[in-house]
């Protein structure tokens, strides 16, 4: 079974909305405002690209990433990876042509079937609604969280608020950086 990894920039109070400056959110760009850049804090991002063998995202994240990421030097490895977009509304003519193989999945059952195929880790960037569905369905195996020492208050959150039984996690890697960022890599105990 393939490992499904959810990766996120996240505030201490759980907000993941608009970390890079996406419009429409009061605190957009919070990952780069008044926080000293410490390169080693972002080493996990390079590792994710090298270790992942597929890229999974929801429609909203696909529509945000696909016009920009194919031409960015920081994301060259993602060009070569198969990409999967979970959406009931996206059509084939909504896919970009310069980002390599992209498949539309119509349900979480199709994501579960993808996990059963041969291959290595599948990485999920962004995709708040998708993360909620994946977590509720028990499909996420690991979280890569780069926690910023900020309280943002309102905003989209990584974790669903579904009333459910306790989900246990195991901390498998942890680091704290001079700018206050924390790396937490957590395995979901199924």
């Amino acid at each position: 079974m393939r490992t499904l990894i959810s990766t996120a920039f996240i505030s201490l109070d759980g907000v993941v909305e608009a970390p890079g400056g996406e419009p429409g959110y009061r605190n957009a760009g919070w990952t780069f405002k008044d926080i000293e850049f410490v390169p080693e804090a972002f080493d996990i991002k390079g590792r994710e690209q090298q270790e992942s063998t597929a890229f999974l995202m929801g429609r909203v994240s696909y529509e945000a990433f696909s016009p920009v990421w194919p031409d960015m030097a920081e994301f060259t490895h993602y060009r070569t990876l198969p990409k999967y977009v979970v959406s009931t509304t996206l059509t084939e003519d909504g896919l970009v042509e310069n980002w390599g193989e992209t498949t539309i999945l119509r349900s979480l059952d199709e994501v579960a079937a993808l996990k059963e195929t041969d291959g290595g880790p599948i990485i999920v960037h962004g995709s708040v609604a998708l993360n909620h569905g994946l977590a509720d369905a028990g499909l996420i195996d690991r979280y890569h969280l780069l926690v910023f020492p900020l309280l943002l208050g309102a905003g989209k959150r990584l974790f669903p608020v579904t009333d459910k039984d306790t989900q246990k996690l195991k901390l498998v890697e942890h680091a704290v950086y001079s700018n206050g960022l924390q790396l937490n890599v957590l395995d979901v105990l199924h």
Side-chain angles (χ1 to χ4, degrees), residues 65-88:
F65 298 155
S66 65
V68 181
W69 283 23
D71 297 322
M72 291 181 70
E74 298 92 325
F75 302 112
T76 55
H77 181 65
Y78 287 148
R79 287 184 209 147
T80 64
L81 294 183
K83 283 158 277 307
Y84 298 90
V85 183
V86 182
S87 174
T88 59

Side-chain angles (χ1 to χ4, degrees), residues 5 12 20 25 31 39 52 60 72 74 85 87 93 97 112 114 127 143 151 153-154 159 170 172-173 177-178 181:
I5 301 168
L12 193 58
Y25 177 61
T31 57
S52 57
V60 173
M72 291 181 70
E74 298 92 325
V85 183
S87 174
D93 63 342
E97 295 181 11
L114 174 63
S127 307
Y143 289 97
L151 300 175
F159 301 105
K170 178 181 180 185
V172 295
E173 183 180 346
Y177 303 98
S178 61
L181 270 65

Side-chain angles (χ1 to χ4, degrees), residues 53-134:
T53 60
F55 188 175
L56 180 70
M57 65 205 106
R59 179 191 53 81
V60 173
S61 291
Y62 177 79
E63 289 174 347
F65 298 155
S66 65
V68 181
W69 283 23
D71 297 322
M72 291 181 70
E74 298 92 325
F75 302 112
T76 55
H77 181 65
Y78 287 148
R79 287 184 209 147
T80 64
L81 294 183
K83 283 158 277 307
Y84 298 90
V85 183
V86 182
S87 174
T88 59
T89 58
L90 185 66
T91 59
E92 294 290 328
D93 63 342
L95 299 176
V96 299
E97 295 181 11
N98 64 335
W99 207 16
E101 176 190 348
T102 304
T103 304
I104 300 171
L105 304 178
R106 298 293 181 199
S107 69
L108 293 179
D109 288 338
E110 290 185 40
V111 175
L114 174 63
K115 283 186 61 173
E116 295 293 331
T117 62
D118 289 333
I122 303 166
I123 195 87
V124 181
H125 284 276
S127 307
V128 171
L130 177 58
N131 263 284
H132 291 181
L134 293 168

